[in-house]
Amino acid sequence: MTQKTSVLATENDTPQDDNILKAAKLKKLAAFEAAGGNAFPHKFHRTDRAGDLQEKYASLENGVETTDKVTIAGRIMAMRNNGMFIDLHDPSGKVQVFCHKDSTPAEVMAQLDYFDLGDIIGVSGTVRRTPRGELSVRAIELTMLTKSFAPLPDKYHGLTDVEARYRQRYLDLIMNDQSRNTLRTRTKIVRAIRDFMNGIGAMEVETPLLHGIMGGASAKPFITHHNALDSNFFLRIAPELYLKRLVVGGFADAVFEIGRNFRNEGVSPRHNPEFTMIEAYHTYFDYYDVMTHIEDMVRYVVQTVHGTTSIQYGEHTLDFGAPWQRKTMVGIVQEETGVDFLTITDPAAARAKAKELGVHVEANANWGQVVEAIFAEKGEHKLIQPTHVMDHPFDISPLSKLHRDNPLLTERFESYANGWEICNAFTELNDPRDQLARFQDQVAAREAGDEEGMMMDEDFITALEYGLPPTGGWGMGIDRMVMLLTNSTNIRDVIAFPTLKPIGGGAK
RNA sequence: GACCGUGUAGCUCAGCCGGUAGAGCAACUGACUUUUAAUCAGUAGGUCGCGGGUUCGAGCCCCGCCGCGGUCACCA
């Protein structure tokens, strides 16, 4: 019987690194390189992926050996019996590697001493299923592909520290199936949305993130500075006004943009300072057409991602298959409070009514703000099944066209599911005279101290003066949608690298 | 921004009334083996988030600060 000793057994140098675990790996690396090994080769040719092998050999019976030779590559996630069994993971799945002295050459067995958990290796060998049922590759060759210096977390408990999971997402992805699946589902959702939009002939476009004038939404902005132009810019809070300019230009019958917006507001389980939205504009749509379109698209996305049109979120089953409910905002307020605000249009009277209902509103709130506040407090959270909330007050909808039947209202709707707003849409305001007046109202509110009021965008007015055809537009928060479809309770779980406070305070 | 909670080994967690800092995994040295969180023996590993204070003595008590989480406010 031969005495088996570690390649490190004779080494006696003191670890230089303060982390003893890293030092051990570096020592192993040094021994490997001293023996002529390349820990970071440039290229490796693999023939198969772990997950594909699992599918291909799904019916291979326990204890059966094949002569099929495969070459795989992946990260060592577990080693048992001194490396006799290795769990090798690649993005498609996992397969076990089996190294045995009877079939694996001695010089190849010796390689095992250089391997650590976390290393990325290549394996060539034959496919078998062990008597206990684990699909394995019986190793004939082992190749170091990337040496890992950092120790992996506990193989059983994994990485659970939430801060570490967000700050070191790479490690989270290595360790946690759920994180991987959630972020992969995000990718699939975005692809499904894009496929649907392309399928109806909409043109995907890109518009500026650096805005000289803030507009398109009500929000506090980030401000940045361009040196050569010696100008401050706002990071965009919405792409809306640029997308409509494209429609004015006759660029396409429908345009859409999927991109990041930035709002300098609170961080919460449902708010990240940078978030992803899709906005789209369809010529000759009114908001009824947009409602149908949203239902079709969401149904397609849910079906594509989940294979069914109803999904589970927490305790609720959400059905995106059936036609969505359509309710007016004032109608919901009336349902919940018994008060018909269409008959209380004086702002002071409306504010008084709000107070009576126990809803706090600002002292100078206008009629629309009162209605919205009551809706938000009394009605919003009850909208579990997909619902279009229609006909928002004119004075909270500065880019929406007035309602064809009631000038207090606009042809706007917000779609809700699970109590969350997932979509905001309207028949676009295209009368430049009206738009100018709305902007003037916004500017006045701004001057009165409303930080979120829009700024006057004269060029946008000019664009409308050339003629924006009748158009329906909408925006949808992708992150919220991903949360719904992945049963996630925190927006940070659906963003690969959520905004966190920089260690050490960040840029000053 | 306010309130509540939390921070101990690379990871996951214990740590009593204030009395020498603990375990499992990972690592290292061996043993053994067709394993599935392999097993067995041994070894090493700590700025107890940071800074003050109280005390003979602080991981624990007090004050301040920092990070993270939750709730609220604002918002999508």
Side-chain angles (χ1 to χ4, degrees), chain A residues 213-421:
Chain A
I213 294 172
M214 192 177 68
S218 298
K220 292 175 199 149
F222 287 91
I223 297 173
T224 189
H225 183 76
H226 187 280
N227 292 340
L229 296 178
D230 190 22
S231 301
N232 282 341
F233 284 86
F234 302 104
L235 299 187
R236 75 173 178 197
I237 56 173
E240 174 150 356
L241 301 183
Y242 281 100
L243 290 170
K244 287 185 196 170
R245 283 173 167 94
L246 289 174
V247 177
V248 167
F251 180 80
D253 290 319
V255 297
F256 74 100
E257 177 167 11
I258 296 174
R260 213 68 64 83
N261 295 302
F262 305 86
R263 298 190 185 174
N264 205 341
E265 288 161 353
V267 174
S268 85
R270 291 190 18 219
H271 299 85
N272 198 62
E274 49 179 310
F275 64 102
T276 302
M277 271 185 40
I278 174 172
E279 277 198 18
Y281 295 85
H282 307 254
T283 52
Y284 309 113
F285 272 31
D286 65 7
Y287 74 152
Y288 295 107
D289 297 320
V290 177
M291 284 180 222
T292 304
H293 165 76
I294 291 294
E295 292 178 32
D296 290 346
M297 185 190 73
V298 172
R299 190 184 312 115
Y300 172 81
V301 170
V302 175
Q303 176 74 39
T304 301
V305 171
H306 277 285
T308 165
T309 54
S310 70
I311 61 158
Q312 193 71 25
Y313 185 93
E315 59 186 359
H316 296 120
T317 301
L318 308 177
D319 181 7
F320 291 99
W324 300 12
Q325 296 178 67
R326 299 183 181 190
K327 297 180 170 184
T328 66
M329 182 177 278
V330 289
I332 290 173
V333 167
Q334 187 169 6
E335 271 179 45
E336 297 298 331
T337 67
V339 179
D340 179 6
F341 274 88
L342 288 178
T343 65
I344 309 174
T345 58
D346 173 66
R351 288 194 294 267
K353 201 66 180 174
K355 189 171 182 181
E356 203 177 295
L357 294 168
V359 175
H360 173 78
V361 294
E362 296 296 326
N364 59 348
N366 57 38
W367 177 77
Q369 288 166 333
V370 171
V371 172
E372 184 184 40
I374 296 170
F375 162 75
E377 186 146 328
K378 305 284 187 184
E380 193 176 277
H381 64 281
K382 295 182 179 171
L383 301 172
I384 303 302
Q385 294 305 322
T387 304
H388 300 302
V389 176
M390 304 165 58
D391 299 348
H392 293 52
F394 142 86
D395 38 19
I396 57 167
S397 309
L399 301 167
S400 306
K401 198 160 184 163
L402 288 183
H403 196 281
R404 59 195 78 179
D405 299 325
N406 185 341
L408 279 175
L409 306 175
T410 58
E411 296 203 353
R412 176 182 177 188
F413 73 91
E414 292 178 306
S415 307
Y416 284 80
N418 195 47
W420 303 351
E421 181 199 328

